[in-house]
Amino acid sequence: MNIALLGFGVVGRGVYDLVAPRSDIRVTHVLCRRDLSLPDATVTHDFQEILLDSSIDTIVEVMGGLHPAWDYVRDAILAGKNVITANKAMVAEFYDELIPLVHQKNVLFRCTAAVGGGIGWLSELERVRRCETIRKVGGIMNGTCNYILDSMTQRGLTYTEALSQAQHLGYAESNPTTDVDGIDTWHKLIISSNIAFGVSLNKHQIPVCGIRNILAEDVALFRSHGLCCKLVSTGQMQGGHFSAYVQPTLFYDDDIESTVPTNYNLITLEGNTSGRQSFYGQGAGRYPTAYNVVQDCIDFTQNHGFYSIFQGKVDICNDNRLQYYVRGSSDSWLESHTAETWGKAAITTPVTVEQMHAWCAKYPNVFMAALPERKDIQC
Ligand code: HSE
C-alpha cells in the first residue's frame, strides 16, 4: 500500500512515525507547505503530482480545514484513489456528497480518527451494526471542553484560566471557539449518528450550545447540589424519529461521566440487545489519533471500506422534554417556565430541547445546562 500524506502537522508526523517500521504500508509522498526533507518519501507542494501518480493508491488527509482538504479528497476519489481522513469538519460538512461518491466510485474510505482520537469508536459502531440496531449515541467528545470543565470543578480554576491551560497543552483547535462553542462536538455527533443510524441527519436542524459563558459561580452551585457539568452530544433514533443536539449537561457526582478527567472522552452507545456500552480514552493528541489512521490503513489492506450504508437525509425533531439550569438573562417565557431558582439561575419546568435552544439563541450571554435525566439512560 502506497500512501500520500496530505499534511505533516501533529497527526501527519505521527502517522509517518507509526508507519515507518511496517513493510505493508509505505508513505511515499508528503504534501506539505513547508520545505521539508524526508529520507524515504518525496515531499511536494503540488497536489497534482500526487493525483497523477498511479503508484499512490491511498490518500491520507490530515491537513484539516474545509478547503482545500475537501477539493483534494474529492479529486482523489474521482481519480479512483482510496481515502483516509481525520478531518471531522470536512466529513460532517460534505457527508451527503462524500459518501455517495465513495460508493459510486467504488473506493475505500474511512475516518476513524475523526471522532474520539485514539478510541476505536466508529469502527465499533460498524461492528455493532452487523447484528443489531443502535438506538442512541453520544457523550463527552471534546477534550478541550472536558479539560476546562474538569479544571473548574476539581481545581477551582476560572474559565479563562482553564481555557488558556488547555491551549497551552495543545488540546484546543487552532481556533478554540470551535471547541468551546460545541462545533467540534457537533461535527463528531453528526458523523457518529450518521454511521450509527445509516442515514444523513439534517445538520442544520441539530442545535448546539457550548460552554463559553460558564462561570465559577455556576460550578459552585452545581457542586453544592452534588452535580458536575459536562459538554455532551446526544443522537437518538426511535422508530423513524431522530433527535440530536449538543448541550452542557449535569450529571450526578457518582455518574461515570462525572469521573472523566482532563482531556479524556467518554462516548456511549445503546444497542437493542447489547445495551449500553461506553468507550473511554484520549480523544486527541498525535499518537492516539495517528494510531486510528494506521488502523484504517490496515483495514484497507484487507479491502475493508466504509462503516455503514447511506440511506439518505432525515429530519430532526427535538421534542423530548428536559429541565434546564439557565443563568444570564430572563424574559416572560423563562419566568412562565421557571419551577424554582438556584441563586441567580432559573430551573425550568420540563421544556422541549427545541424550545430551550431556540430561546438561548436569542440571548448570547446565557449559560444553560440540562438537568440529569433518569440515571440509567443518560448518554
Ligand atoms: N480539539 C479537539 C478536542 C481535538 O479538544 O477534542 C480532537 O478532535
Side-chain angles (χ1 to χ4, degrees):
M1 178 179 190
N2 289 334
I3 290 176
L5 271 181
L6 310 188
F8 205 70
V10 174
V11 181
R13 176 81 219 195
V15 174
Y16 182 81
D17 291 347
L18 294 187
V19 160
R22 300 186 67 97
S23 56
D24 55 343
I25 304 166
R26 288 197 323 136
V27 175
T28 61
H29 290 71
V30 173
L31 181 75
C32 180
R33 274 191 225 116
R34 284 173 290 139
D35 285 324
L36 188 77
S37 163
L38 294 167
D40 45 8
T42 304
V43 180
T44 175
H45 304 296
D46 181 9
F47 178 66
Q48 289 305 313
E49 196 183 317
I50 289 168
L51 194 65
L52 297 173
D53 189 330
S54 59
S55 72
I56 299 169
D57 48 79
T58 301
I59 300 293
V60 173
E61 187 275 304
V62 282
M63 56 200 298
L66 295 182
H67 298 285
W70 164 238
D71 312 275
Y72 292 168
V73 162
R74 187 184 47 209
D75 286 353
I77 295 170
L78 286 169
K81 294 190 191 297
N82 300 325
V83 172
I84 292 164
T85 181
N87 186 339
K88 60 249 167 190
M90 183 201 69
V91 177
E93 181 62 31
F94 296 107
Y95 198 88
D96 295 344
E97 201 179 329
L98 169 65
I99 305 307
L101 191 63
V102 163
H103 292 313
Q104 186 195 326
K105 298 303 289 184
N106 204 21
V107 298
L108 304 175
F109 174 81
R110 284 176 84 83
C111 56
T112 309
V115 186
I119 306 171
W121 160 247
L122 296 182
S123 47
E124 188 57 26
L125 285 181
E126 175 182 34
R127 277 170 51 83
V128 174
R129 277 180 58 87
R130 296 189 303 197
C131 58
E132 70 165 327
T133 303
I134 299 172
R135 291 192 306 251
K136 188 172 180 182
V137 291
I140 299 168
M141 294 179 162
N142 184 271
T144 302
C145 288
N146 200 65
Y147 185 88
I148 293 170
L149 295 170
D150 185 53
S151 302
M152 292 179 78
T153 306
Q154 304 300 337
R155 295 193 285 135
L157 297 195
T158 64
Y159 171 84
T160 313
E161 287 165 345
L163 171 58
S164 135
Q165 285 192 5
Q167 285 178 291
H168 183 69
L169 289 164
Y171 302 145
E173 298 293 308
S174 46
N175 176 1
T177 62
T178 309
D179 295 297
V180 299
D181 289 339
I183 305 301
D184 178 78
T185 302
W186 184 74
H187 291 143
K188 292 166 176 169
L189 172 66
I190 292 166
I191 297 169
S192 302
S193 302
N194 287 355
I195 290 172
F197 307 139
V199 296
S200 170
L201 302 186
N202 185 339
K203 58 180 178 294
H204 304 296
Q205 298 171 340
I206 303 176
V208 51
C209 182
I211 62 161
R212 73 158 62 228
N213 294 329
I214 192 169
L215 295 176
E217 69 193 59
D218 300 314
V219 173
L221 272 172
F222 301 152
R223 293 205 69 184
S224 72
H225 285 85
L227 296 168
C228 175
C229 183
K230 298 290 183 183
L231 184 70
V232 165
S233 65
T234 303
Q236 294 186 85
M237 178 184 69
Q238 240 175 355
H241 177 108
F242 295 88
S243 66
Y245 44 90
V246 175
Q247 60 192 12
T249 302
L250 301 176
F251 292 91
Y252 297 107
D253 282 344
D254 59 355
D255 285 333
I256 185 172
E257 283 79 2
S258 300
T259 67
V260 176
T262 60
N263 65 327
Y264 275 71
N265 287 187
L266 180 78
I267 315 181
T268 297
L269 68 84
E270 283 180 30
N272 269 355
T273 54
S274 66
R276 181 180 162 133
Q277 304 180 44
S278 292
F279 300 81
Y280 172 79
Q282 293 200 56
R286 168 173 286 170
Y287 289 112
T289 309
Y291 157 84
N292 259 329
V293 171
V294 175
Q295 286 284 19
D296 285 348
C297 293
I298 296 167
D299 281 326
F300 281 11
T301 65
Q302 297 163 6
N303 206 31
H304 195 101
F306 196 56
Y307 316 87
S308 70
I309 46 162
F310 178 87
Q311 289 178 314
K313 223 160 167 174
V314 296
D315 285 325
I316 304 296
C317 177
N318 288 319
D319 59 1
N320 49 319
R321 287 178 185 273
L322 299 172
Q323 285 188 273
Y324 286 89
Y325 169 99
V326 184
R327 182 202 42 78
S329 205
S330 192
D331 63 10
S332 56
W333 182 85
L334 188 63
E335 280 164 19
S336 67
H337 290 85
T338 296
E340 58 180 300
T341 53
W342 289 2
K344 293 181 198 147
I347 302 298
T348 70
T349 55
V351 295
T352 68
V353 171
E354 197 170 319
Q355 280 177 312
M356 192 70 246
H357 279 262
W359 186 86
C360 283
K362 293 192 286 182
Y363 298 104
N365 296 323
V366 155
F367 176 74
M368 67 87 138
L371 264 61
E373 289 185 85
R374 275 185 20 232
K375 287 185 83 163
D376 56 329
I377 59 164
Q378 179 71 56
C379 250

